[in-house]
Amino acid sequence: MNLYDNFNKIILNIKDPNLKFTGLANNSQKQCITLEAIATFGKRPNCIRYGSNDVEYHGYTTNKVFCLSPDPSKPLRINLHKQRVKCLNCGKSFQKESPELVKKYKNISKQVNQRVISELMSNVSMKEISLHNNISQTQVARILDKTIVFDYRQYESLPKHLCFDEVRTKKHTLSFIAIDGITHRIVCFLPGRTSAEILGHFKRYSFKVRCQVKTVTVDMNASYASLVKKLFPNAKLIIDRFTLSK
């Protein structure tokens, strides 16, 4: 069992001594590899609210984690059983987390998350990224949105040249995306593409910042033309040449 546990930790780059891999799940199918893992407290934990170690063990909470698979044709899932404890003083319950494997309240491993971010910065579609990593396109869009929140939502500056467009994130759903017309870096990604959502986002920037935008390139969507006039008073509207050629 120690060899099995060590092998999986090496593959997943995990060093947490309180995380143990116990074997394959009973319902593991040929088209999907499912591992069983247990995350336990190394010693009796203290209450996260009062700091007292007057706690009782309260079973396990199971979280299914999507992981990178050594064989792309067989998705890898981990049934992560997190040990729960309950404080006898305040009644607060909490569980053991495994941050090396997956962030709290998430079900996509850190390795998958990092690989998706890396592929989003290359010329790869969301559909291809979802297939590479055995996750849905919706999950890819959520990772993209979270990444943009971290990098760009400072509302202190905007590129002088913007491009507006739509991307298909789900089967019948289009989302709004704005990029820097020079560097092609993503400025914002919105789950929807309604005028209210776009106005709400860009009005978080000050009027002075929005006046610094010189051009906005769009397709022949009439609503974008009216939005540009409202949001960027000094910007020239440019119709995408590809749209005109069609």
Side-chain angles (χ1 to χ4, degrees):
M1 186 60 67
N2 286 336
L3 288 174
Y4 180 84
D5 178 58
N6 291 336
F7 175 78
N8 285 299
K9 285 184 176 180
I10 291 171
I11 294 295
L12 298 170
N13 193 26
I14 295 172
K15 298 178 182 178
D16 186 358
N18 298 316
L19 179 66
K20 304 291 184 184
F21 288 90
T22 58
L24 287 170
N26 292 331
N27 60 346
S28 185
Q29 301 176 355
K30 291 182 179 180
Q31 63 269 25
C32 180
I33 304 170
T34 306
L35 304 178
E36 298 286 351
I38 299 177
T40 57
F41 293 97
K43 59 180 180 180
R44 197 172 192 84
N46 294 329
C47 174
I48 59 176
R49 182 178 293 178
Y50 292 106
S52 168
N53 66 353
D54 190 14
V55 299
E56 66 177 2
Y57 293 102
H58 226 249
Y60 293 85
T61 299
T62 301
N63 183 21
K64 182 176 287 187
V65 182
F66 295 79
C67 298
L68 286 182
S69 174
D71 182 357
S73 66
K74 293 184 178 180
L76 176 61
R77 305 286 183 262
I78 296 177
N79 290 334
L80 180 60
H81 306 282
K82 304 176 182 178
Q83 190 172 37
R84 283 175 60 88
V85 295
K86 181 177 180 181
C87 178
L88 298 177
N89 296 320
C90 68
K92 176 77 173 179
S93 295
F94 53 98
Q95 62 193 19
K96 172 64 178 174
E97 299 296 336
S98 184
E100 286 188 27
L101 176 63
V102 62
K103 290 183 178 180
K104 191 176 183 180
Y105 306 126
K106 303 296 181 181
N107 66 343
I108 296 177
S109 73
K110 293 178 71 175
Q111 283 186 331
V112 172
N113 195 81
Q114 291 167 358
R115 180 173 169 179
V116 169
I117 292 171
S118 176
E119 291 185 351
L120 283 167
M121 292 188 290
S122 60
N123 188 24
V124 183
S125 70
M126 286 192 177
K127 183 176 181 180
E128 289 176 320
I129 293 173
S130 68
L131 292 173
H132 294 167
N133 297 281
N134 294 306
I135 59 176
S136 69
Q137 292 184 55
T138 303
Q139 289 171 314
V140 174
R142 286 174 184 163
I143 292 173
L144 174 60
D145 193 33
K146 295 294 182 182
T147 305
I148 296 168
V149 169
F150 178 79
D151 288 336
Y152 293 98
R153 292 194 183 173
Q154 303 300 318
Y155 308 113
E156 294 177 354
S157 64
L158 279 169
K160 292 181 179 180
H161 304 281
L162 286 170
C163 298
F164 288 2
D165 206 349
E166 301 97 18
V167 293
R168 191 174 300 279
T169 51
K170 290 189 285 188
K171 189 174 182 180
H172 300 294
T173 303
L174 290 173
S175 300
F176 173 82
I177 189 169
I179 67 170
D180 186 324
I182 302 299
T183 65
H184 299 164
R185 294 182 68 187
I186 298 172
V187 176
C188 79
F189 175 87
L190 305 177
R193 60 188 183 104
T194 64
S195 297
E197 288 175 289
I198 298 169
L199 279 170
H201 174 79
F202 282 104
K203 282 197 171 181
R204 297 178 184 178
Y205 295 90
S206 68
F207 181 74
K208 182 180 178 181
V209 169
R210 287 186 278 120
C211 283
Q212 295 172 0
V213 177
K214 293 183 178 180
T215 65
V216 181
T217 303
V218 300
D219 57 20
M220 297 184 73
N221 188 324
S223 63
Y224 286 168
S226 61
L227 284 173
V228 170
K229 293 178 182 178
K230 293 178 183 178
L231 291 169
F232 312 107
N234 296 332
K236 292 182 180 180
L237 185 67
I238 300 174
I239 303 299
D240 182 22
R241 288 178 295 176
F242 177 73
T243 305
L244 288 173
S245 67
K246 290 196 294 183

Short mmCIF file of all heavy atoms in Angstrom, two decimals, residues 68-104:
data_model
loop_
_atom_site.label_atom_id
_atom_site.label_comp_id
_atom_site.label_asym_id
_atom_site.label_seq_id
_atom_site.Cartn_x
_atom_site.Cartn_y
_atom_site.Cartn_z
N LEU A 68 -5.30 15.47 -13.92
CA LEU A 68 -4.62 15.14 -15.17
C LEU A 68 -4.37 13.64 -15.23
O LEU A 68 -3.91 13.05 -14.27
CB LEU A 68 -3.30 15.89 -15.28
CG LEU A 68 -3.36 17.39 -15.59
CD1 LEU A 68 -1.94 17.94 -15.70
CD2 LEU A 68 -4.12 17.66 -16.88
N SER A 69 -4.64 13.06 -16.37
CA SER A 69 -4.46 11.62 -16.53
C SER A 69 -3.22 11.34 -17.38
O SER A 69 -2.98 12.03 -18.37
CB SER A 69 -5.69 11.01 -17.20
OG SER A 69 -5.48 9.65 -17.49
N PRO A 70 -2.42 10.32 -17.01
CA PRO A 70 -1.28 9.94 -17.86
C PRO A 70 -1.73 9.38 -19.21
O PRO A 70 -0.97 9.39 -20.17
CB PRO A 70 -0.57 8.87 -17.02
CG PRO A 70 -1.60 8.36 -16.07
CD PRO A 70 -2.50 9.52 -15.79
N ASP A 71 -2.99 8.92 -19.29
CA ASP A 71 -3.56 8.42 -20.53
C ASP A 71 -4.74 9.31 -20.92
O ASP A 71 -5.80 9.24 -20.29
CB ASP A 71 -4.04 6.97 -20.34
CG ASP A 71 -4.61 6.37 -21.62
OD1 ASP A 71 -4.69 7.10 -22.63
OD2 ASP A 71 -4.98 5.19 -21.61
N PRO A 72 -4.60 10.20 -21.93
CA PRO A 72 -5.67 11.15 -22.29
C PRO A 72 -7.00 10.48 -22.65
O PRO A 72 -8.05 11.10 -22.54
CB PRO A 72 -5.09 11.88 -23.51
CG PRO A 72 -3.61 11.71 -23.40
CD PRO A 72 -3.41 10.36 -22.77
N SER A 73 -6.96 9.22 -23.07
CA SER A 73 -8.19 8.53 -23.44
C SER A 73 -9.00 8.07 -22.23
O SER A 73 -10.16 7.70 -22.36
CB SER A 73 -7.88 7.33 -24.34
OG SER A 73 -7.16 6.33 -23.62
N LYS A 74 -8.38 8.11 -21.04
CA LYS A 74 -9.05 7.68 -19.82
C LYS A 74 -8.98 8.78 -18.77
O LYS A 74 -7.92 9.01 -18.16
CB LYS A 74 -8.42 6.39 -19.28
CG LYS A 74 -8.62 5.18 -20.17
CD LYS A 74 -8.05 3.93 -19.52
CE LYS A 74 -8.28 2.71 -20.39
NZ LYS A 74 -7.73 1.48 -19.78
N PRO A 75 -10.07 9.51 -18.55
CA PRO A 75 -10.07 10.57 -17.54
C PRO A 75 -9.72 10.02 -16.16
O PRO A 75 -10.05 8.88 -15.82
CB PRO A 75 -11.52 11.08 -17.57
CG PRO A 75 -12.05 10.67 -18.90
CD PRO A 75 -11.36 9.39 -19.24
N LEU A 76 -9.04 10.84 -15.37
CA LEU A 76 -8.65 10.44 -14.01
C LEU A 76 -9.48 11.23 -13.01
O LEU A 76 -9.50 12.46 -13.04
CB LEU A 76 -7.16 10.70 -13.79
CG LEU A 76 -6.62 10.43 -12.38
CD1 LEU A 76 -6.81 8.97 -12.01
CD2 LEU A 76 -5.15 10.82 -12.28
N ARG A 77 -10.15 10.51 -12.11
CA ARG A 77 -10.93 11.14 -11.04
C ARG A 77 -10.43 10.59 -9.71
O ARG A 77 -10.00 9.44 -9.61
CB ARG A 77 -12.42 10.82 -11.19
CG ARG A 77 -13.01 11.19 -12.56
CD ARG A 77 -13.19 12.67 -12.72
NE ARG A 77 -13.83 12.98 -13.99
CZ ARG A 77 -13.20 13.34 -15.08
NH1 ARG A 77 -11.87 13.40 -15.06
NH2 ARG A 77 -13.84 13.62 -16.19
N ILE A 78 -10.50 11.42 -8.69
CA ILE A 78 -10.13 10.99 -7.35
C ILE A 78 -11.30 11.23 -6.41
O ILE A 78 -11.81 12.35 -6.32
CB ILE A 78 -8.89 11.75 -6.83
CG1 ILE A 78 -7.67 11.42 -7.69
CG2 ILE A 78 -8.61 11.41 -5.37
CD1 ILE A 78 -6.42 12.18 -7.29
N ASN A 79 -11.76 10.18 -5.77
CA ASN A 79 -12.75 10.32 -4.70
C ASN A 79 -12.00 10.69 -3.42
O ASN A 79 -11.43 9.82 -2.76
CB ASN A 79 -13.55 9.03 -4.51
CG ASN A 79 -14.48 8.75 -5.66
OD1 ASN A 79 -14.92 9.66 -6.35
ND2 ASN A 79 -14.79 7.49 -5.89
N LEU A 80 -11.96 11.98 -3.11
CA LEU A 80 -11.20 12.46 -1.97
C LEU A 80 -12.09 12.50 -0.73
O LEU A 80 -13.04 13.28 -0.66
CB LEU A 80 -10.64 13.86 -2.26
CG LEU A 80 -9.82 14.53 -1.16
CD1 LEU A 80 -8.59 13.68 -0.81
CD2 LEU A 80 -9.41 15.94 -1.58
N HIS A 81 -11.79 11.63 0.23
CA HIS A 81 -12.57 11.56 1.47
C HIS A 81 -11.88 12.42 2.53
O HIS A 81 -10.80 12.09 3.02
CB HIS A 81 -12.67 10.11 1.94
CG HIS A 81 -13.22 9.18 0.89
ND1 HIS A 81 -14.56 9.10 0.60
CD2 HIS A 81 -12.59 8.30 0.06
CE1 HIS A 81 -14.74 8.21 -0.36
NE2 HIS A 81 -13.55 7.71 -0.71
N LYS A 82 -12.51 13.54 2.89
CA LYS A 82 -11.92 14.50 3.83
C LYS A 82 -12.48 14.25 5.24
O LYS A 82 -13.69 14.24 5.43
CB LYS A 82 -12.23 15.93 3.41
CG LYS A 82 -11.79 16.28 2.00
CD LYS A 82 -12.23 17.70 1.66
CE LYS A 82 -11.84 18.08 0.24
NZ LYS A 82 -12.31 19.45 -0.10
N GLN A 83 -11.59 14.05 6.18
CA GLN A 83 -12.01 13.80 7.55
C GLN A 83 -12.68 15.04 8.15
O GLN A 83 -12.18 16.16 8.01
CB GLN A 83 -10.82 13.39 8.41
CG GLN A 83 -11.19 12.87 9.78
CD GLN A 83 -9.99 12.30 10.53
OE1 GLN A 83 -8.89 12.83 10.42
NE2 GLN A 83 -10.21 11.23 11.25
N ARG A 84 -13.82 14.82 8.80
CA ARG A 84 -14.57 15.93 9.43
C ARG A 84 -14.47 15.84 10.94
O ARG A 84 -14.42 14.74 11.52
CB ARG A 84 -16.06 15.86 9.05
CG ARG A 84 -16.37 16.35 7.64
CD ARG A 84 -17.83 16.14 7.32
NE ARG A 84 -18.71 16.86 8.23
CZ ARG A 84 -19.10 18.13 8.05
NH1 ARG A 84 -18.68 18.80 6.99
NH2 ARG A 84 -19.91 18.70 8.89
N VAL A 85 -14.44 17.01 11.57
CA VAL A 85 -14.49 17.06 13.03
C VAL A 85 -15.50 18.13 13.45
O VAL A 85 -15.82 19.04 12.68
CB VAL A 85 -13.11 17.39 13.65
CG1 VAL A 85 -12.11 16.28 13.40
CG2 VAL A 85 -12.58 18.71 13.14
N LYS A 86 -16.01 17.98 14.69
CA LYS A 86 -16.98 18.93 15.21
C LYS A 86 -16.54 19.40 16.58
O LYS A 86 -16.15 18.60 17.44
CB LYS A 86 -18.35 18.25 15.32
CG LYS A 86 -19.45 19.16 15.82
CD LYS A 86 -20.79 18.42 15.84
CE LYS A 86 -21.91 19.33 16.34
NZ LYS A 86 -23.21 18.61 16.37
N CYS A 87 -16.53 20.72 16.77
CA CYS A 87 -16.16 21.30 18.06
C CYS A 87 -17.28 21.06 19.07
O CYS A 87 -18.45 21.36 18.79
CB CYS A 87 -15.87 22.79 17.90
SG CYS A 87 -15.44 23.61 19.46
N LEU A 88 -16.94 20.55 20.22
CA LEU A 88 -17.94 20.26 21.25
C LEU A 88 -18.37 21.52 21.98
O LEU A 88 -19.39 21.50 22.70
CB LEU A 88 -17.39 19.24 22.24
CG LEU A 88 -17.03 17.86 21.64
CD1 LEU A 88 -16.43 16.95 22.70
CD2 LEU A 88 -18.26 17.21 21.02
N ASN A 89 -17.63 22.62 21.83
CA ASN A 89 -17.97 23.86 22.51
C ASN A 89 -18.92 24.74 21.70
O ASN A 89 -19.93 25.21 22.20
CB ASN A 89 -16.70 24.66 22.84
CG ASN A 89 -15.81 23.93 23.82
OD1 ASN A 89 -16.29 23.32 24.78
ND2 ASN A 89 -14.50 23.94 23.59
N CYS A 90 -18.57 24.95 20.42
CA CYS A 90 -19.38 25.85 19.59
C CYS A 90 -20.25 25.13 18.57
O CYS A 90 -21.13 25.74 17.95
CB CYS A 90 -18.49 26.87 18.88
SG CYS A 90 -17.40 26.14 17.62
N GLY A 91 -20.01 23.83 18.36
CA GLY A 91 -20.79 23.07 17.39
C GLY A 91 -20.35 23.25 15.95
O GLY A 91 -20.97 22.72 15.03
N LYS A 92 -19.27 24.02 15.73
CA LYS A 92 -18.77 24.26 14.38
C LYS A 92 -18.10 23.01 13.83
O LYS A 92 -17.29 22.38 14.50
CB LYS A 92 -17.77 25.42 14.41
CG LYS A 92 -17.09 25.72 13.09
CD LYS A 92 -18.00 26.48 12.16
CE LYS A 92 -17.25 26.92 10.90
NZ LYS A 92 -18.13 27.65 9.96
N SER A 93 -18.44 22.66 12.57
CA SER A 93 -17.81 21.51 11.91
C SER A 93 -16.86 22.01 10.84
O SER A 93 -17.10 23.02 10.19
CB SER A 93 -18.87 20.61 11.26
OG SER A 93 -19.71 20.03 12.24
N PHE A 94 -15.75 21.31 10.68
CA PHE A 94 -14.81 21.64 9.63
C PHE A 94 -14.11 20.36 9.19
O PHE A 94 -14.21 19.33 9.85
CB PHE A 94 -13.80 22.71 10.07
CG PHE A 94 -13.07 22.40 11.35
CD1 PHE A 94 -11.79 21.86 11.32
CD2 PHE A 94 -13.65 22.64 12.59
CE1 PHE A 94 -11.11 21.58 12.49
CE2 PHE A 94 -12.97 22.36 13.76
CZ PHE A 94 -11.70 21.82 13.72
N GLN A 95 -13.42 20.42 8.06
CA GLN A 95 -12.85 19.22 7.47
C GLN A 95 -11.40 19.45 7.05
O GLN A 95 -10.95 20.57 6.91
CB GLN A 95 -13.66 18.78 6.25
CG GLN A 95 -13.70 19.80 5.14
CD GLN A 95 -14.75 19.49 4.09
OE1 GLN A 95 -15.69 18.74 4.33
NE2 GLN A 95 -14.59 20.07 2.92
N LYS A 96 -10.70 18.35 6.87
CA LYS A 96 -9.30 18.39 6.45
C LYS A 96 -9.24 18.72 4.96
O LYS A 96 -9.91 18.09 4.14
CB LYS A 96 -8.63 17.04 6.72
CG LYS A 96 -7.23 16.89 6.16
CD LYS A 96 -6.24 17.84 6.78
CE LYS A 96 -4.84 17.60 6.23
NZ LYS A 96 -3.86 18.60 6.69
N GLU A 97 -8.45 19.71 4.61
CA GLU A 97 -8.26 20.07 3.21
C GLU A 97 -6.92 19.53 2.71
O GLU A 97 -6.03 19.23 3.49
CB GLU A 97 -8.31 21.59 3.02
CG GLU A 97 -9.63 22.24 3.44
CD GLU A 97 -10.81 21.80 2.59
OE1 GLU A 97 -10.60 21.36 1.44
OE2 GLU A 97 -11.94 21.86 3.10
N SER A 98 -6.82 19.41 1.37
CA SER A 98 -5.57 18.95 0.75
C SER A 98 -5.18 19.98 -0.32
O SER A 98 -5.41 19.77 -1.52
CB SER A 98 -5.76 17.57 0.12
OG SER A 98 -4.54 17.09 -0.40
N PRO A 99 -4.61 21.12 0.11
CA PRO A 99 -4.34 22.23 -0.83
C PRO A 99 -3.37 21.90 -1.94
O PRO A 99 -3.39 22.54 -2.99
CB PRO A 99 -3.79 23.33 0.09
CG PRO A 99 -3.29 22.62 1.31
CD PRO A 99 -4.19 21.43 1.48
N GLU A 100 -2.50 20.91 -1.74
CA GLU A 100 -1.58 20.53 -2.82
C GLU A 100 -2.32 19.89 -3.99
O GLU A 100 -1.89 19.98 -5.14
CB GLU A 100 -0.52 19.55 -2.30
CG GLU A 100 0.54 20.18 -1.43
CD GLU A 100 1.66 19.20 -1.12
OE1 GLU A 100 1.89 18.28 -1.92
OE2 GLU A 100 2.29 19.35 -0.06
N LEU A 101 -3.44 19.25 -3.69
CA LEU A 101 -4.22 18.56 -4.73
C LEU A 101 -5.28 19.48 -5.32
O LEU A 101 -5.40 19.62 -6.54
CB LEU A 101 -4.87 17.30 -4.16
CG LEU A 101 -5.78 16.52 -5.11
CD1 LEU A 101 -4.99 15.99 -6.30
CD2 LEU A 101 -6.45 15.37 -4.36
N VAL A 102 -6.07 20.11 -4.47
CA VAL A 102 -7.20 20.91 -4.94
C VAL A 102 -7.50 22.02 -3.93
O VAL A 102 -7.35 21.84 -2.72
CB VAL A 102 -8.44 20.01 -5.15
CG1 VAL A 102 -8.89 19.37 -3.83
CG2 VAL A 102 -9.58 20.76 -5.80
N LYS A 103 -7.93 23.17 -4.44
CA LYS A 103 -8.28 24.29 -3.57
C LYS A 103 -9.59 24.01 -2.84
O LYS A 103 -10.41 23.21 -3.28
CB LYS A 103 -8.42 25.58 -4.39
CG LYS A 103 -7.11 26.11 -4.95
CD LYS A 103 -7.34 27.42 -5.69
CE LYS A 103 -6.04 27.99 -6.22
NZ LYS A 103 -6.27 29.28 -6.94
N LYS A 104 -9.77 24.70 -1.73
CA LYS A 104 -11.00 24.54 -0.94
C LYS A 104 -12.22 24.94 -1.76
O LYS A 104 -12.19 25.94 -2.49
CB LYS A 104 -10.90 25.42 0.32
CG LYS A 104 -11.98 25.15 1.35
CD LYS A 104 -11.73 25.99 2.60
CE LYS A 104 -12.76 25.70 3.68
NZ LYS A 104 -12.52 26.50 4.90
#
